[in-house]
Amino acid sequence: MSQKIAGVKGMNDLLPGELGGEMAPVETWQHVERTARELFARFGYGEIRTPMVEDTALFVRSVGEETDIVGKEMYTFEDKAGRSLSLRPEGTAPAVRAYIEHSVANQEPLTRWYYIGPMFRYERMKTGRYRQFFQIGAEAIGSREAAQDVELMDMVVQLLEALGLKEVSLNLNSLGDDACRPVFQQKLVEHLTAHRAELCEDCQRRLESNPMRVLDCKNAKCQAVVQAAPDILQFLCEPCKAHFGDVRRKLDVLGVRYVINPRIVRGLDYYTRTTFEFIAAHPALGTASTVGGGGRYDKLLKSLGGPDLPAVGFGLGLDRLTLLLKEGGQKYAPPPDVFIAVADEGSADEAFKLASRLRREGLRVEFDTRGGSLKSQMKRADKTRARFALVLGQTERESGKGQLKPMAGGEPIPVALNEVAQTVRAAH
Ligand code: HAM
């Protein structure tokens, strides 16, 4: 017997309709993507599509060697020429690489891009945390002003609103810059070292390699130590404090609600100043409740060999957004407008032609290519939740008239066979 081959663990199939398991139906994904594309265009963001694979060094030098993402979770392999390549674990570094490679700075002073696509991280899986997952991200390169940070946050807020996701809160922080963060870090390390024995194994290691990451460890014992840790916002230098103040003021100007959360340190090393996360209150996602995150990365372009330009961006987890919508019970697959049923063999071609014509005229039409009895076709019409069924037999062919039968019940609507599309539309 031939053995079945399963899909790769942590990587999901997205199926239409009700066929999928844990994942939201593909129509929900399409709805989110469509909504984002339409909205982001209103904000003046153009789409970029970069390869799924990049030089490993790109992520090591941007996301950071000491982060979990690069240290533990990257899919890295050698190609046939012995180059070290990695499946992208995130979208910011590739966007910046493309920006530098195409000398975009010489062509426009302010660049706004978005992307939608799969990312890869070898993570421990659970609901909302996968090894291939999808991000909708946006990056704005060239402005150091708070208005740019706030424009991006506003864009996320408007997307969540458009999707009807209300229970998501914006958590805001600033990580300072090279002038003030080292002072904070020193105080933090002093505090953590004094409580070293209380920290989890991972955090004892992080204390040496990446102490900021201890701040967002989920371990209860670490959280207790973190509770009493110094607060980064108390250590901001004057320019960083002013920038953070501007961000808050402009959020207020737009009426965007947020909470200050000094524990938002993010899992990537490139951030400076503003960082933020959008956290869902819904229990469906458990600890995978962060639907998006982002912030400024004013030093990244230069450190990757590009111009010394400031930038800010965000990434949203499409898997998580769609799970929230699925939980809300919303369905996005539109039912067929009309099911064309064949009453007798002699009408099959005529019905087939009618179905084709109605599709050309813009209707969603179901037609059972297997043929079969009228009864079995009507059963299928019911199952597809078509709005109307139209039976085509000899009488209809000869008279050029038929009836649109509302599948949800009600009086049939008489219709001329050459006016089906207009009649269906008018019946809305
Ligand atoms: P990130 O916080 O690593 O940021 O990822 C952004 C979002 O991707 C998360 O909030 C989460 O919703 C989703 N996500 C991350 N890992 C997984 C996973 N294993 N399974 C499902 N969803 C996941 C970034 O990647 C930055 N590039 C964001 C950014 C853009 N910062 C500036 N510009």
Short mmCIF file of all heavy atoms in Angstrom, two decimals, residues 10 63 69 73 89-93 115 119-140 152 266-268 270-271 276-278 285 288-297 311-321, ligand 1:
data_model
loop_
_atom_site.label_atom_id
_atom_site.label_comp_id
_atom_site.label_asym_id
_atom_site.label_seq_id
_atom_site.Cartn_x
_atom_site.Cartn_y
_atom_site.Cartn_z
N GLY A 10 3.61 22.47 11.32
CA GLY A 10 3.64 23.91 11.56
C GLY A 10 3.36 24.74 10.32
O GLY A 10 3.43 25.97 10.37
N VAL A 63 18.13 41.55 12.33
CA VAL A 63 17.31 41.03 13.44
C VAL A 63 18.20 40.79 14.66
O VAL A 63 17.78 41.04 15.80
CB VAL A 63 16.58 39.73 13.01
CG1 VAL A 63 15.83 39.12 14.17
CG2 VAL A 63 15.64 40.02 11.85
N ILE A 69 14.93 34.56 17.16
CA ILE A 69 14.59 34.38 15.75
C ILE A 69 15.80 33.90 14.96
O ILE A 69 15.74 32.90 14.24
CB ILE A 69 14.04 35.70 15.14
CG1 ILE A 69 12.73 36.09 15.83
CG2 ILE A 69 13.85 35.57 13.63
CD1 ILE A 69 12.14 37.42 15.38
N GLU A 73 15.52 29.99 15.45
CA GLU A 73 14.30 29.70 14.68
C GLU A 73 14.43 29.79 13.17
O GLU A 73 13.47 29.56 12.46
CB GLU A 73 13.18 30.66 15.16
CG GLU A 73 12.84 30.47 16.61
CD GLU A 73 11.99 31.60 17.18
OE1 GLU A 73 11.69 32.56 16.44
OE2 GLU A 73 11.64 31.52 18.37
N PRO A 89 12.53 35.20 8.04
CA PRO A 89 11.72 35.08 9.25
C PRO A 89 10.86 36.32 9.48
O PRO A 89 10.00 36.34 10.36
CB PRO A 89 12.77 34.96 10.36
CG PRO A 89 13.95 35.71 9.84
CD PRO A 89 13.92 35.59 8.33
N GLU A 90 11.08 37.35 8.69
CA GLU A 90 10.34 38.61 8.83
C GLU A 90 10.56 39.43 7.56
O GLU A 90 11.36 39.05 6.71
CB GLU A 90 10.81 39.38 10.07
CG GLU A 90 12.28 39.75 10.07
CD GLU A 90 12.50 41.21 9.78
OE1 GLU A 90 11.87 42.05 10.41
OE2 GLU A 90 13.33 41.52 8.88
N GLY A 91 9.85 40.58 7.46
CA GLY A 91 9.86 41.30 6.19
C GLY A 91 10.61 42.62 6.17
O GLY A 91 10.81 43.20 5.09
N THR A 92 11.05 43.10 7.34
CA THR A 92 11.69 44.42 7.37
C THR A 92 13.07 44.40 6.70
O THR A 92 13.38 45.25 5.86
CB THR A 92 11.82 44.91 8.82
OG1 THR A 92 10.53 44.85 9.42
CG2 THR A 92 12.34 46.33 8.88
N ALA A 93 13.88 43.41 7.10
CA ALA A 93 15.24 43.34 6.54
C ALA A 93 15.22 43.19 5.01
O ALA A 93 15.94 43.90 4.31
CB ALA A 93 16.03 42.22 7.21
N TYR A 115 3.81 44.92 2.33
CA TYR A 115 3.98 43.58 1.76
C TYR A 115 3.04 42.61 2.46
O TYR A 115 2.63 42.83 3.61
CB TYR A 115 5.44 43.09 1.91
CG TYR A 115 6.00 43.31 3.30
CD1 TYR A 115 5.78 42.39 4.32
CD2 TYR A 115 6.72 44.46 3.60
CE1 TYR A 115 6.29 42.61 5.61
CE2 TYR A 115 7.23 44.69 4.87
CZ TYR A 115 7.01 43.76 5.87
OH TYR A 115 7.48 43.99 7.14
N MET A 119 6.23 34.05 6.10
CA MET A 119 7.49 34.17 6.82
C MET A 119 7.70 32.81 7.50
O MET A 119 6.74 32.06 7.70
CB MET A 119 7.40 35.25 7.90
CG MET A 119 6.87 36.60 7.42
SD MET A 119 8.05 37.46 6.39
CE MET A 119 6.98 38.60 5.53
N PHE A 120 8.93 32.54 7.89
CA PHE A 120 9.24 31.21 8.42
C PHE A 120 10.05 31.30 9.72
O PHE A 120 11.08 31.96 9.76
CB PHE A 120 10.04 30.43 7.38
CG PHE A 120 9.32 30.31 6.06
CD1 PHE A 120 9.40 31.33 5.11
CD2 PHE A 120 8.53 29.20 5.78
CE1 PHE A 120 8.73 31.23 3.90
CE2 PHE A 120 7.85 29.10 4.57
CZ PHE A 120 7.95 30.11 3.63
N ARG A 121 9.54 30.66 10.74
CA ARG A 121 10.30 30.58 12.00
C ARG A 121 10.07 29.19 12.59
O ARG A 121 8.92 28.76 12.70
CB ARG A 121 9.83 31.64 13.02
CG ARG A 121 10.06 33.06 12.54
CD ARG A 121 9.63 34.10 13.58
NE ARG A 121 9.59 35.42 12.97
CZ ARG A 121 9.15 36.51 13.59
NH1 ARG A 121 8.71 36.45 14.84
NH2 ARG A 121 9.14 37.68 12.95
N TYR A 122 11.17 28.56 12.97
CA TYR A 122 11.05 27.22 13.56
C TYR A 122 10.67 27.39 15.03
O TYR A 122 11.51 27.37 15.91
CB TYR A 122 12.37 26.48 13.40
CG TYR A 122 12.24 24.99 13.60
CD1 TYR A 122 11.89 24.18 12.53
CD2 TYR A 122 12.45 24.40 14.83
CE1 TYR A 122 11.76 22.82 12.69
CE2 TYR A 122 12.31 23.04 15.02
CZ TYR A 122 11.97 22.26 13.94
OH TYR A 122 11.82 20.90 14.10
N GLU A 123 9.38 27.60 15.27
CA GLU A 123 8.91 27.87 16.64
C GLU A 123 8.17 26.67 17.20
O GLU A 123 7.72 25.81 16.45
CB GLU A 123 7.93 29.05 16.61
CG GLU A 123 8.61 30.36 16.30
CD GLU A 123 7.89 31.53 16.94
OE1 GLU A 123 7.88 31.60 18.19
OE2 GLU A 123 7.35 32.36 16.20
N ARG A 124 7.98 26.67 18.51
CA ARG A 124 7.13 25.64 19.11
C ARG A 124 5.70 26.01 18.75
O ARG A 124 5.26 27.13 19.00
CB ARG A 124 7.33 25.61 20.63
CG ARG A 124 6.99 24.26 21.18
CD ARG A 124 7.43 24.12 22.63
NE ARG A 124 8.86 24.38 22.82
CZ ARG A 124 9.35 24.97 23.92
NH1 ARG A 124 8.55 25.36 24.88
NH2 ARG A 124 10.64 25.15 24.05
N MET A 125 4.97 25.04 18.19
CA MET A 125 3.67 25.40 17.64
C MET A 125 2.54 25.33 18.64
O MET A 125 2.55 24.53 19.55
CB MET A 125 3.32 24.46 16.51
CG MET A 125 4.19 24.67 15.32
SD MET A 125 4.19 23.24 14.35
CE MET A 125 3.89 21.98 15.50
N LYS A 126 1.57 26.18 18.42
CA LYS A 126 0.28 26.11 19.10
C LYS A 126 -0.68 26.99 18.31
O LYS A 126 -0.30 27.53 17.28
CB LYS A 126 0.40 26.58 20.54
CG LYS A 126 1.09 27.92 20.69
CD LYS A 126 1.68 27.94 22.04
CE LYS A 126 1.59 29.23 22.77
NZ LYS A 126 0.42 30.00 22.70
N THR A 127 -1.89 27.13 18.82
CA THR A 127 -2.85 27.97 18.10
C THR A 127 -2.25 29.36 17.89
O THR A 127 -1.81 30.00 18.85
CB THR A 127 -4.16 28.10 18.90
OG1 THR A 127 -4.66 26.79 19.10
CG2 THR A 127 -5.18 28.93 18.16
N GLY A 128 -2.24 29.82 16.66
CA GLY A 128 -1.75 31.17 16.38
C GLY A 128 -0.23 31.28 16.28
O GLY A 128 0.30 32.36 16.08
N ARG A 129 0.46 30.15 16.46
CA ARG A 129 1.92 30.20 16.31
C ARG A 129 2.34 29.05 15.40
O ARG A 129 2.17 27.89 15.75
CB ARG A 129 2.62 30.10 17.66
CG ARG A 129 4.14 30.15 17.55
CD ARG A 129 4.81 30.37 18.88
NE ARG A 129 4.44 31.65 19.45
CZ ARG A 129 4.21 31.85 20.73
NH1 ARG A 129 4.29 30.85 21.58
NH2 ARG A 129 3.89 33.05 21.17
N TYR A 130 2.86 29.42 14.24
CA TYR A 130 3.15 28.41 13.22
C TYR A 130 4.58 28.59 12.71
O TYR A 130 5.24 29.56 13.02
CB TYR A 130 2.15 28.53 12.07
CG TYR A 130 0.73 28.54 12.57
CD1 TYR A 130 -0.04 29.71 12.56
CD2 TYR A 130 0.17 27.39 13.12
CE1 TYR A 130 -1.32 29.73 13.07
CE2 TYR A 130 -1.12 27.39 13.63
CZ TYR A 130 -1.86 28.57 13.60
OH TYR A 130 -3.13 28.59 14.11
N ARG A 131 5.02 27.62 11.89
CA ARG A 131 6.38 27.70 11.35
C ARG A 131 6.40 28.40 10.01
O ARG A 131 7.37 29.04 9.66
CB ARG A 131 6.98 26.30 11.28
CG ARG A 131 7.22 25.80 12.69
CD ARG A 131 7.85 24.44 12.76
NE ARG A 131 8.13 24.12 14.15
CZ ARG A 131 8.48 22.92 14.58
NH1 ARG A 131 8.60 21.93 13.72
NH2 ARG A 131 8.73 22.73 15.85
N GLN A 132 5.33 28.25 9.24
CA GLN A 132 5.10 29.18 8.14
C GLN A 132 3.89 30.00 8.54
O GLN A 132 2.82 29.43 8.81
CB GLN A 132 4.81 28.48 6.82
CG GLN A 132 4.46 29.51 5.74
CD GLN A 132 4.12 28.92 4.38
OE1 GLN A 132 4.95 28.82 3.50
NE2 GLN A 132 2.88 28.52 4.24
N PHE A 133 4.08 31.29 8.64
CA PHE A 133 2.95 32.16 8.98
C PHE A 133 3.00 33.34 8.03
O PHE A 133 3.97 33.52 7.28
CB PHE A 133 3.03 32.62 10.44
CG PHE A 133 4.27 33.42 10.76
CD1 PHE A 133 4.23 34.81 10.78
CD2 PHE A 133 5.48 32.79 11.01
CE1 PHE A 133 5.38 35.55 11.05
CE2 PHE A 133 6.64 33.53 11.28
CZ PHE A 133 6.58 34.91 11.30
N PHE A 134 1.95 34.14 8.04
CA PHE A 134 1.86 35.23 7.07
C PHE A 134 1.83 36.57 7.77
O PHE A 134 1.19 36.72 8.81
CB PHE A 134 0.61 35.07 6.19
CG PHE A 134 0.73 33.93 5.22
CD1 PHE A 134 0.67 32.62 5.65
CD2 PHE A 134 0.93 34.18 3.87
CE1 PHE A 134 0.80 31.56 4.76
CE2 PHE A 134 1.06 33.14 2.97
CZ PHE A 134 0.99 31.83 3.41
N GLN A 135 2.54 37.50 7.19
CA GLN A 135 2.50 38.87 7.73
C GLN A 135 1.98 39.84 6.68
O GLN A 135 2.26 39.69 5.49
CB GLN A 135 3.91 39.34 8.12
CG GLN A 135 4.37 38.86 9.47
CD GLN A 135 5.70 39.52 9.87
OE1 GLN A 135 6.27 40.32 9.14
NE2 GLN A 135 6.18 39.16 11.06
N ILE A 136 1.23 40.83 7.19
CA ILE A 136 0.98 42.04 6.41
C ILE A 136 1.86 43.08 7.08
O ILE A 136 1.68 43.36 8.28
CB ILE A 136 -0.48 42.50 6.52
CG1 ILE A 136 -1.42 41.41 6.01
CG2 ILE A 136 -0.69 43.79 5.74
CD1 ILE A 136 -2.88 41.84 5.97
N GLY A 137 2.81 43.62 6.36
CA GLY A 137 3.70 44.59 6.98
C GLY A 137 3.78 45.86 6.17
O GLY A 137 3.41 45.89 4.99
N ALA A 138 4.23 46.93 6.81
CA ALA A 138 4.44 48.19 6.10
C ALA A 138 5.69 48.86 6.66
O ALA A 138 6.00 48.71 7.85
CB ALA A 138 3.23 49.11 6.26
N GLU A 139 6.41 49.53 5.78
CA GLU A 139 7.63 50.22 6.19
C GLU A 139 7.63 51.61 5.56
O GLU A 139 7.29 51.75 4.39
CB GLU A 139 8.88 49.46 5.71
CG GLU A 139 8.86 47.94 5.90
CD GLU A 139 8.98 47.48 7.35
OE1 GLU A 139 9.34 48.31 8.22
OE2 GLU A 139 8.69 46.30 7.61
N ALA A 140 7.98 52.62 6.36
CA ALA A 140 8.11 53.98 5.84
C ALA A 140 9.55 54.42 6.08
O ALA A 140 10.00 54.45 7.22
CB ALA A 140 7.13 54.92 6.55
N LEU A 152 1.50 55.21 10.75
CA LEU A 152 1.51 53.74 10.65
C LEU A 152 0.56 53.11 11.68
O LEU A 152 -0.17 52.17 11.37
CB LEU A 152 2.93 53.21 10.85
CG LEU A 152 3.82 53.36 9.60
CD1 LEU A 152 5.28 53.38 9.98
CD2 LEU A 152 3.54 52.23 8.61
N ARG A 266 10.13 44.04 22.16
CA ARG A 266 10.20 43.42 20.85
C ARG A 266 11.32 42.37 20.78
O ARG A 266 12.29 42.43 21.50
CB ARG A 266 10.40 44.46 19.74
CG ARG A 266 9.50 45.67 19.85
CD ARG A 266 8.11 45.42 19.37
NE ARG A 266 8.09 45.10 17.98
CZ ARG A 266 7.58 43.95 17.48
NH1 ARG A 266 7.01 43.08 18.26
NH2 ARG A 266 7.61 43.72 16.19
N GLY A 267 11.14 41.42 19.88
CA GLY A 267 12.08 40.30 19.79
C GLY A 267 13.15 40.47 18.73
O GLY A 267 13.81 39.52 18.37
N LEU A 268 13.29 41.69 18.21
CA LEU A 268 14.26 41.93 17.15
C LEU A 268 15.15 43.09 17.58
O LEU A 268 14.69 44.02 18.25
CB LEU A 268 13.55 42.27 15.83
CG LEU A 268 12.45 41.29 15.39
CD1 LEU A 268 11.10 41.68 15.92
CD2 LEU A 268 12.39 41.16 13.87
N TYR A 270 16.75 45.53 15.95
CA TYR A 270 17.00 46.77 15.20
C TYR A 270 16.25 48.00 15.70
O TYR A 270 16.39 49.08 15.16
CB TYR A 270 16.77 46.57 13.71
CG TYR A 270 15.48 45.87 13.27
CD1 TYR A 270 14.24 46.40 13.56
CD2 TYR A 270 15.55 44.69 12.54
CE1 TYR A 270 13.08 45.77 13.12
CE2 TYR A 270 14.40 44.04 12.11
CZ TYR A 270 13.16 44.59 12.40
OH TYR A 270 12.02 43.97 11.98
N TYR A 271 15.44 47.86 16.74
CA TYR A 271 14.59 48.99 17.12
C TYR A 271 15.30 50.11 17.88
O TYR A 271 16.22 49.87 18.67
CB TYR A 271 13.41 48.50 17.96
CG TYR A 271 12.44 47.67 17.15
CD1 TYR A 271 12.34 46.30 17.35
CD2 TYR A 271 11.64 48.25 16.18
CE1 TYR A 271 11.46 45.53 16.60
CE2 TYR A 271 10.77 47.50 15.42
CZ TYR A 271 10.68 46.13 15.64
OH TYR A 271 9.81 45.39 14.89
N PHE A 276 5.86 49.37 19.46
CA PHE A 276 4.44 49.19 19.81
C PHE A 276 3.99 47.77 19.48
O PHE A 276 4.60 47.08 18.64
CB PHE A 276 3.56 50.21 19.09
CG PHE A 276 3.72 50.24 17.59
CD1 PHE A 276 2.99 49.40 16.77
CD2 PHE A 276 4.63 51.12 16.99
CE1 PHE A 276 3.15 49.42 15.40
CE2 PHE A 276 4.80 51.14 15.61
CZ PHE A 276 4.06 50.29 14.81
N GLU A 277 2.95 47.35 20.16
CA GLU A 277 2.32 46.06 19.84
C GLU A 277 0.81 46.21 19.92
O GLU A 277 0.31 46.98 20.76
CB GLU A 277 2.80 44.96 20.80
CG GLU A 277 4.23 44.52 20.48
CD GLU A 277 4.74 43.35 21.29
OE1 GLU A 277 4.01 42.86 22.20
OE2 GLU A 277 5.87 42.92 21.01
N PHE A 278 0.13 45.48 19.07
CA PHE A 278 -1.33 45.43 19.12
C PHE A 278 -1.71 44.09 19.74
O PHE A 278 -1.38 43.03 19.19
CB PHE A 278 -1.92 45.57 17.71
CG PHE A 278 -1.85 46.98 17.19
CD1 PHE A 278 -0.71 47.46 16.57
CD2 PHE A 278 -2.92 47.85 17.38
CE1 PHE A 278 -0.64 48.77 16.11
CE2 PHE A 278 -2.87 49.16 16.93
CZ PHE A 278 -1.72 49.62 16.29
N LEU A 285 -6.67 33.19 21.14
CA LEU A 285 -5.27 33.13 20.74
C LEU A 285 -4.33 32.77 21.89
O LEU A 285 -3.14 32.57 21.67
CB LEU A 285 -4.84 34.47 20.13
CG LEU A 285 -5.47 34.82 18.78
CD1 LEU A 285 -5.00 36.17 18.31
CD2 LEU A 285 -5.15 33.76 17.74
N ALA A 288 -0.63 33.68 22.16
CA ALA A 288 -0.28 34.23 20.84
C ALA A 288 -1.19 35.42 20.54
O ALA A 288 -1.68 35.59 19.43
CB ALA A 288 -0.40 33.16 19.77
N SER A 289 -1.40 36.26 21.56
CA SER A 289 -2.42 37.30 21.43
C SER A 289 -1.89 38.58 20.77
O SER A 289 -2.66 39.49 20.53
CB SER A 289 -2.98 37.64 22.81
OG SER A 289 -1.93 38.04 23.64
N THR A 290 -0.59 38.64 20.51
CA THR A 290 -0.06 39.83 19.86
C THR A 290 -0.31 39.72 18.36
O THR A 290 0.29 38.91 17.67
CB THR A 290 1.46 39.97 20.13
OG1 THR A 290 1.65 39.96 21.54
CG2 THR A 290 1.99 41.27 19.56
N VAL A 291 -1.25 40.54 17.87
CA VAL A 291 -1.60 40.43 16.46
C VAL A 291 -0.66 41.26 15.58
O VAL A 291 -0.63 41.09 14.37
CB VAL A 291 -3.07 40.79 16.17
CG1 VAL A 291 -4.00 39.79 16.81
CG2 VAL A 291 -3.40 42.20 16.61
N GLY A 292 0.10 42.13 16.19
CA GLY A 292 1.03 42.90 15.38
C GLY A 292 2.01 43.67 16.24
O GLY A 292 1.78 43.88 17.43
N GLY A 293 3.12 44.05 15.62
CA GLY A 293 4.10 44.83 16.36
C GLY A 293 4.98 45.59 15.41
O GLY A 293 5.04 45.27 14.21
N GLY A 294 5.65 46.59 15.93
CA GLY A 294 6.55 47.34 15.07
C GLY A 294 7.27 48.42 15.83
O GLY A 294 7.29 48.43 17.07
N GLY A 295 7.85 49.32 15.08
CA GLY A 295 8.56 50.42 15.71
C GLY A 295 9.55 51.04 14.76
O GLY A 295 9.60 50.71 13.57
N ARG A 296 10.35 51.96 15.35
CA ARG A 296 11.39 52.66 14.57
C ARG A 296 12.66 51.85 14.48
O ARG A 296 12.98 51.10 15.39
CB ARG A 296 11.77 53.96 15.30
CG ARG A 296 10.92 55.07 14.95
CD ARG A 296 11.53 56.44 15.08
NE ARG A 296 10.60 57.23 14.34
CZ ARG A 296 10.72 57.53 13.05
NH1 ARG A 296 11.81 57.20 12.38
NH2 ARG A 296 9.78 58.18 12.43
N TYR A 297 13.35 52.01 13.39
CA TYR A 297 14.69 51.40 13.26
C TYR A 297 15.58 52.39 12.52
O TYR A 297 15.95 52.18 11.38
CB TYR A 297 14.61 50.03 12.58
CG TYR A 297 13.75 49.97 11.33
CD1 TYR A 297 14.31 50.10 10.06
CD2 TYR A 297 12.38 49.76 11.41
CE1 TYR A 297 13.54 50.04 8.91
CE2 TYR A 297 11.59 49.70 10.27
CZ TYR A 297 12.18 49.85 9.03
OH TYR A 297 11.41 49.79 7.89
N ALA A 311 13.67 55.15 9.77
CA ALA A 311 12.56 54.36 9.23
C ALA A 311 11.70 53.81 10.36
O ALA A 311 12.14 53.75 11.52
CB ALA A 311 13.09 53.22 8.37
N VAL A 312 10.50 53.44 10.01
CA VAL A 312 9.57 52.89 11.00
C VAL A 312 8.59 51.97 10.26
O VAL A 312 8.32 52.19 9.07
CB VAL A 312 8.85 54.03 11.79
CG1 VAL A 312 8.22 55.06 10.87
CG2 VAL A 312 7.82 53.51 12.78
N GLY A 313 8.12 50.95 10.96
CA GLY A 313 7.20 50.02 10.28
C GLY A 313 6.48 49.12 11.26
O GLY A 313 6.67 49.22 12.48
N PHE A 314 5.65 48.24 10.70
CA PHE A 314 4.96 47.25 11.55
C PHE A 314 4.77 45.95 10.77
O PHE A 314 4.87 45.92 9.53
CB PHE A 314 3.59 47.77 12.02
CG PHE A 314 2.58 47.95 10.92
CD1 PHE A 314 1.94 46.87 10.32
CD2 PHE A 314 2.26 49.23 10.46
CE1 PHE A 314 1.01 47.04 9.30
CE2 PHE A 314 1.34 49.41 9.43
CZ PHE A 314 0.71 48.31 8.85
N GLY A 315 4.50 44.88 11.51
CA GLY A 315 4.12 43.61 10.91
C GLY A 315 2.90 43.08 11.65
O GLY A 315 2.86 43.11 12.88
N LEU A 316 1.89 42.64 10.88
CA LEU A 316 0.69 42.07 11.50
C LEU A 316 0.63 40.59 11.16
O LEU A 316 0.97 40.19 10.04
CB LEU A 316 -0.57 42.73 10.93
CG LEU A 316 -0.81 44.19 11.24
CD1 LEU A 316 -1.96 44.71 10.39
CD2 LEU A 316 -1.14 44.36 12.72
N GLY A 317 0.21 39.78 12.11
CA GLY A 317 0.10 38.34 11.87
C GLY A 317 -1.25 38.01 11.23
O GLY A 317 -2.29 38.10 11.88
N LEU A 318 -1.18 37.64 9.96
CA LEU A 318 -2.41 37.37 9.21
C LEU A 318 -3.12 36.12 9.75
O LEU A 318 -4.35 36.06 9.81
CB LEU A 318 -2.02 37.19 7.74
CG LEU A 318 -3.01 37.25 6.60
CD1 LEU A 318 -4.09 38.29 6.80
CD2 LEU A 318 -2.26 37.54 5.32
N ASP A 319 -2.33 35.13 10.18
CA ASP A 319 -2.92 33.92 10.76
C ASP A 319 -3.77 34.29 11.97
O ASP A 319 -4.87 33.78 12.17
CB ASP A 319 -1.83 32.95 11.22
CG ASP A 319 -0.85 32.62 10.10
OD1 ASP A 319 -0.06 33.51 9.71
OD2 ASP A 319 -0.88 31.48 9.62
N ARG A 320 -3.22 35.19 12.78
CA ARG A 320 -3.91 35.55 14.03
C ARG A 320 -5.13 36.41 13.76
O ARG A 320 -6.18 36.24 14.38
CB ARG A 320 -2.93 36.26 14.97
CG ARG A 320 -1.81 35.32 15.38
CD ARG A 320 -0.81 35.94 16.33
NE ARG A 320 0.28 34.98 16.55
CZ ARG A 320 1.33 35.21 17.32
NH1 ARG A 320 1.44 36.38 17.93
NH2 ARG A 320 2.26 34.30 17.47
N LEU A 321 -5.01 37.35 12.83
CA LEU A 321 -6.17 38.19 12.48
C LEU A 321 -7.32 37.33 11.96
O LEU A 321 -8.47 37.51 12.35
CB LEU A 321 -5.79 39.22 11.41
CG LEU A 321 -4.84 40.34 11.84
CD1 LEU A 321 -4.48 41.21 10.64
CD2 LEU A 321 -5.47 41.20 12.93
P1 HAM B 1 7.28 40.46 14.94
O1 HAM B 1 6.73 40.99 16.22
O2 HAM B 1 8.36 39.45 15.06
O3 HAM B 1 7.76 41.71 14.12
O4 HAM B 1 6.12 39.84 14.08
C1 HAM B 1 4.96 40.59 13.77
C2 HAM B 1 3.73 39.75 13.95
O5 HAM B 1 3.83 38.54 13.19
C3 HAM B 1 3.48 39.26 15.37
O6 HAM B 1 2.88 40.26 16.15
C4 HAM B 1 2.56 38.09 15.14
O7 HAM B 1 1.23 38.51 14.99
C5 HAM B 1 3.06 37.54 13.83
N1 HAM B 1 3.89 36.36 14.07
C6 HAM B 1 5.19 36.31 14.46
N2 HAM B 1 5.61 35.04 14.59
C7 HAM B 1 4.56 34.25 14.30
C8 HAM B 1 4.34 32.84 14.24
N3 HAM B 1 5.32 31.97 14.49
N4 HAM B 1 3.10 32.39 13.92
C9 HAM B 1 2.11 33.26 13.63
N5 HAM B 1 2.25 34.59 13.65
C10 HAM B 1 3.46 35.09 13.99
C11 HAM B 1 8.35 41.66 12.89
O8 HAM B 1 8.44 40.65 12.23
C12 HAM B 1 8.85 42.99 12.39
N6 HAM B 1 9.41 42.82 11.04
C13 HAM B 1 7.73 44.02 12.37
C14 HAM B 1 8.22 45.34 11.89
C15 HAM B 1 8.08 45.87 10.67
N7 HAM B 1 8.93 46.21 12.59
C16 HAM B 1 9.23 47.25 11.85
N8 HAM B 1 8.73 47.05 10.66
#
